[in-house]
Amino acid sequence: MEIHPWWLELDLPVKQWLRENVRADEVPEPGVAAGGAVVGGMLTAREWDFITTLSEFVD
């Protein structure tokens, strides 16, 4: 699975929020949008899979 380029741009508190709120209906858009992750206010299933399985390895 690829490292999503936007993940590297997020601040650590935003990354932690995403890990703790997996598949949330809404994400902290100002923080996530800054990294270019949000499309229409939501993350894709593939992006959530990355967050739950591999995100901690690339911080």
Side-chain angles (χ1 to χ4, degrees):
M1 184 174 283
E2 70 184 71
I3 297 172
H4 293 282
W6 55 263
W7 184 260
L8 301 173
E9 302 297 323
L10 297 180
D11 293 331
L12 196 54
V14 176
K15 290 177 181 180
Q16 192 60 36
W17 187 93
L18 290 169
R19 289 182 185 123
E20 292 172 358
N21 296 277
V22 173
R23 302 196 191 284
D25 291 334
E26 295 183 23
V27 297
E29 193 164 339
V32 177
V38 174
V39 176
M42 298 177 61
L43 297 176
T44 66
R46 184 174 177 183
E47 291 165 333
W48 282 120
D49 290 345
F50 168 79
I51 291 168
T52 59
T53 59
L54 297 174
S55 67
E56 293 185 36
F57 299 114
V58 295
D59 275 352

